[in-house]
Amino acid sequence: MNEHITQQLREAAEAYRPDRARMLARVQRGAAGPAPRHRTRSGLRSWPKAAIAGLAAAGILATGGLAVAGIAQAPPPSEPTTAPAAPSPTATPTPTRSAPPVTTAPAPVPAPATAAPTSPHPTPSAGSRAQNGSLWSEGSIDPHSTVYWGQDNLLLRTTQPLTSLTVELRVAQTGGVRDTGNWRTLPVDDFTVTVQESGGALVYRWVLKPGRTVPAGEHEFASQYNHATGVRAAGGDGYRVEAQSTGGTASVWGGFTPAR
């Protein structure tokens, strides 16, 4: 509404051109008119009134022109400007220090443990006795033994019939040793057979039953077992035989060597 009125006043002021010369001439004519006559009171008063009216009209016109010109020259009211809001301070992220990489020292390589002798050629103990009286013996590792499985063989020879016989084979517990079987060349029903752990070894025992005899000749006994992977050391294995014949008692013992 204010902008519309201001615009109209501005246009009227620009269109108005006051005729200053004409207004001045009218004032001068009023001042230079015929002298008033003293006879009539109305004449005396007519000039001053006309002059005063002219001057007032000229003053009003001049004042109005100046007012309109001032309005026309006044700059339009400026739009209220809103000061931009100050940007809020941005929090500077605190730099985070990454933890230094943790380096794990390589685990020390343990020194290789001293391996137990793996020679497949154990030497019979110095206290072995392979022959006594009517008995003769020889212990050996079966040639078909593998890195997983083994067999100890005992060859027993007698020159006389035996009325009592106990054969014992001891397989040292070298790791993972477990019984897988046994056999002998004599009749199975003539012997009581047991297999048990004793003193760090797997013990196989054959005992001749009462009333049975072992004929003169060559006989074989064998123990079979699994063991830890690898070439097994049989140095701790051994055998012992106790026998009775018409010629008396006899005992033999020893270890196991590779079969020839």
Side-chain angles (χ1 to χ4, degrees):
M1 185 69 179
N2 293 335
E3 293 181 0
H4 181 67
I5 295 174
T6 303
Q7 182 66 24
Q8 289 182 343
L9 291 175
R10 184 180 298 111
E11 292 176 358
E14 291 176 355
Y16 176 75
R17 295 291 184 271
D19 192 348
R20 300 176 181 275
R22 184 177 179 181
M23 289 188 298
L24 182 60
R26 290 181 61 183
V27 171
Q28 290 177 352
R29 283 197 305 269
R37 298 179 179 181
H38 295 283
R39 296 178 186 177
T40 6
R41 296 177 64 104
S42 59
L44 292 175
R45 295 179 180 177
S46 61
W47 182 85
K49 290 182 180 180
I52 292 171
L55 290 175
I60 291 171
L61 291 175
T63 303
L66 292 176
V68 172
I71 294 173
Q73 293 178 0
S78 59
E79 294 291 334
T81 56
T82 303
S88 59
T90 304
T92 303
T94 303
T96 56
R97 293 180 177 271
S98 57
V102 179
T103 56
T104 304
V109 179
T114 304
T118 57
S119 171
H121 307 283
T123 302
S125 62
S128 65
R129 185 169 70 180
Q131 186 173 2
N132 178 236
S134 61
L135 293 179
W136 176 90
S137 63
E138 181 183 44
S140 64
I141 303 298
D142 192 271
H144 297 100
S145 297
T146 69
V147 293
Y148 307 104
W149 175 88
Q151 177 174 301
D152 291 356
N153 298 329
L154 173 63
L155 181 63
L156 183 64
R157 187 180 302 137
T158 177
T159 58
Q160 295 180 0
L162 303 176
T163 57
S164 174
L165 177 64
T166 298
V167 178
E168 183 177 280
L169 273 60
R170 300 177 64 86
V171 180
Q173 183 55 263
T174 54
V177 174
R178 297 192 307 274
D179 171 46
T180 60
N182 64 87
W183 57 269
R184 89 263 90 225
T185 55
L186 292 167
V188 62
D189 293 337
D190 289 353
F191 291 87
T192 299
V193 184
T194 59
V195 181
Q196 60 183 0
E197 290 269 0
S198 177
L202 194 60
V203 180
Y204 295 78
R205 184 178 290 112
W206 292 264
V207 178
L208 183 66
K209 292 179 180 179
R212 309 296 175 91
T213 59
V214 175
E218 188 173 273
H219 312 287
E220 191 170 359
F221 297 82
S223 60
Q224 299 173 327
Y225 49 88
N226 284 336
H227 58 79
T229 304
V231 179
R232 180 179 175 274
D237 296 358
Y239 69 87
R240 185 177 184 87
V241 179
E242 302 284 346
Q244 179 73 42
S245 67
T246 56
T249 60
S251 299
V252 290
W253 62 86
F256 296 90
T257 60
R260 289 190 292 271

